[in-house]
Amino acid sequence: MPLQNKHLAVVLQNTYLPFIFEEAEALGIKMTFFYNQEEAEPTHLKHVQKFIPIDLFQAPEKALEVIKTEHNQNSFDGIMTIYEPALEFVAQLAKELNLPGLSPFVISNCRNKQMMRKILKDSNLNTPYFKEIKNEEEVKDLLLTYPVVIKPSNGFASQGVSRANNKEELIDSIEKVRRVNEEDLGKFTKNKTGIVIEQFIDGPEFAIETFSVEDKVYVLSIGYKGNSKGPFFEEGVYIAPAPLEENVLESISQEAARAATALGIENGPAHIELRLDPAGKPYVIEIGARIGGSGISHYIVKESTGINYMELVFYYVLGLKPPALKDKGQQKKVVGNYIIPVQGHGIFKEIQGVEDVHRDSEVKRVIQFITKGTEIFPYPHFSGYPGFILTTHDSYSDCEQYYRYLDYKIKVVYDNKVNA
Ligand code: ADP
Ligand code: CA
């Protein structure tokens, strides 16, 4: 057990998604968890050795000090986060503490959509038209081929991302992104308030989970992520493996692996979102140097292939050589994450139907994020997803059928109105 008794620092994590904690416990890793001080101490995480509150976004200097002081007294073998807005901070810290991790340069290139696009383009990857702008003045004379997608340069969780079919909608969307940058993302992104316009890639979306070892990129899983046409891009399903022909899987794998390499993800995990255009050409939408979905990608990979993704990442961040990976993974089962649609806005009351589906043999876990009384704002603002239903199935069509049933069965109820 090479990971036994290693000391890992974890910076911020949605504690409703327990995969990182559970896997650390199973492997005998000692964990210090720097949690968000706005939340209650997550004492339900029995295995975590030490909880230390930080206020990463309001007081980053102080947070840095707290973590460094702890490391001096009780040194870590590694530090990590799978929370997107904390990645740059942790990369900087790993560098200063001389712990394993990708350089802050690599991480910030992935975090910035304009930089990411530029790097992919310079590396000859398939790239849609893209342009960074500051305000609507700049688009007045721009000749664009519609539809386009508008998004915050440093956003996450699809916040403020929308589609525009003409100049009028574009100008309207720019104003929306500006507000999302200011009101929702400002806390995380500080002065990084750019806006990116991209050509809309009209075709199905896939999530690719990779793990790199000394520049070699292993594609662990390719899953289907829906085919949203907008105008907003609320996430819906994630089902793996995606039911695609061998040659399509191969072209997706190659494009994803080239993207990881282009961005300098030489070691460790990457979560890549990609769409196929109507001709079947793969376009990377974005890439994150982390396990996706706050740990959901770990669940998907582990349940569908048997590969313990989180364990691989622990090896990497703890400075140990991970077990050898094969070029082609094995497929065990079809697994999915059904993201409960927000279905409206208002004062959240309950999710109907959850109790019943809990009993179905397909359902492995139900994770609910919002609690009674929480105010859910209308799109494009994002108050978080109501919950996830994690499932496994014998075949892809079984999964599709079950999700159609969930569409009808699961109803989010708000106090001011019931959404059908
Ligand atoms: P975020 O970092 O906020 O998740 P993304 O760039 O991943 O932003 O965009 C969120 C979603 O919007 C994507 O998952 C995809 O469905 C859609 N999207 C973004 N850019 C494009 C594009 N150029 N073409 C088609 N869909 C896109
Ligand atoms: Ca995304």
Side-chain angles (χ1 to χ4, degrees), residues 157 232-236 338-351 369-370 374-388 407 410-414 416-420:
F232 302 123
F233 297 92
E234 181 179 341
E235 288 188 57
Y338 179 90
I339 301 176
I340 299 173
V342 181
Q343 298 174 20
H345 56 94
I347 306 296
F348 172 75
K349 190 171 169 213
E350 59 173 340
I351 305 175
F369 298 112
I370 49 178
T374 307
E375 186 171 6
I376 301 299
F377 298 104
Y379 263 94
H381 301 284
F382 178 71
S383 318
Y385 294 110
F388 293 164
D407 282 342
I410 302 290
K411 293 279 171 274
V412 179
V413 186
Y414 296 93
N416 40 346
K417 64 175 186 185
V418 181
N419 295 278

Side-chain angles (χ1 to χ4, degrees), residues 114-142:
Q114 163 76 11
M115 279 311 293
M116 180 206 74
R117 279 270 171 256
K118 187 174 178 312
I119 291 168
L120 295 182
K121 184 164 191 245
D122 292 347
S123 310
N124 292 319
L125 271 89
N126 300 328
T127 308
Y129 168 85
F130 69 101
K131 183 172 174 59
E132 188 168 44
I133 56 151
K134 297 257 174 320
N135 53 46
E136 46 272 33
E137 284 309 308
E138 285 180 57
V139 299
K140 293 248 157 81
D141 301 317
L142 218 56

Side-chain angles (χ1 to χ4, degrees), residues 52-78:
I52 301 176
I54 54 169
D55 189 0
L56 183 57
F57 302 108
Q58 312 290 337
E61 293 301 323
K62 171 105 185 293
L64 207 67
E65 263 327 293
V66 170
I67 298 174
K68 282 182 179 168
T69 306
E70 184 59 26
H71 179 63
N72 286 337
Q73 289 165 1
N74 198 354
S75 73
F76 320 129
D77 299 303

Side-chain angles (χ1 to χ4, degrees), residues 113 155-158 161 205 235 271 273 285-287 290:
K113 301 219 154 52
F156 65 101
S158 301
V161 182
E205 184 160 330
E235 288 188 57
H271 172 74
E273 292 161 355
I285 299 291
E286 77 159 341
I287 177 160
R290 60 182 165 89

Side-chain angles (χ1 to χ4, degrees), residues 148-151 158 160-164 173-174 176-177 231-233 380:
V148 293
V149 174
I150 303 95
K151 53 177 114 171
S158 301
V161 182
S162 66
R163 163 179 166 156
S173 303
I174 290 171
K176 288 205 183 92
V177 178
F232 302 123
F233 297 92

Side-chain angles (χ1 to χ4, degrees), residues 236-306:
V237 299
Y238 181 0
I239 311 172
L244 296 168
E245 302 286 334
E246 197 53 46
N247 62 330
V248 182
L249 289 172
E250 192 51 40
S251 101
I252 294 177
S253 284
Q254 276 181 18
E255 192 73 3
R258 288 174 59 207
T261 303
L263 279 147
I265 304 176
E266 299 165 346
N267 286 293
H271 172 74
I272 297 155
E273 292 161 355
L274 173 152
R275 279 189 180 225
L276 294 181
D277 77 358
K281 197 163 148 186
Y283 286 82
V284 168
I285 299 291
E286 77 159 341
I287 177 160
R290 60 182 165 89
I291 285 192
S294 297
I296 289 298
S297 298
H298 161 76
Y299 171 84
I300 296 279
V301 170
K302 190 177 181 190
E303 293 296 317
S304 69
T305 68

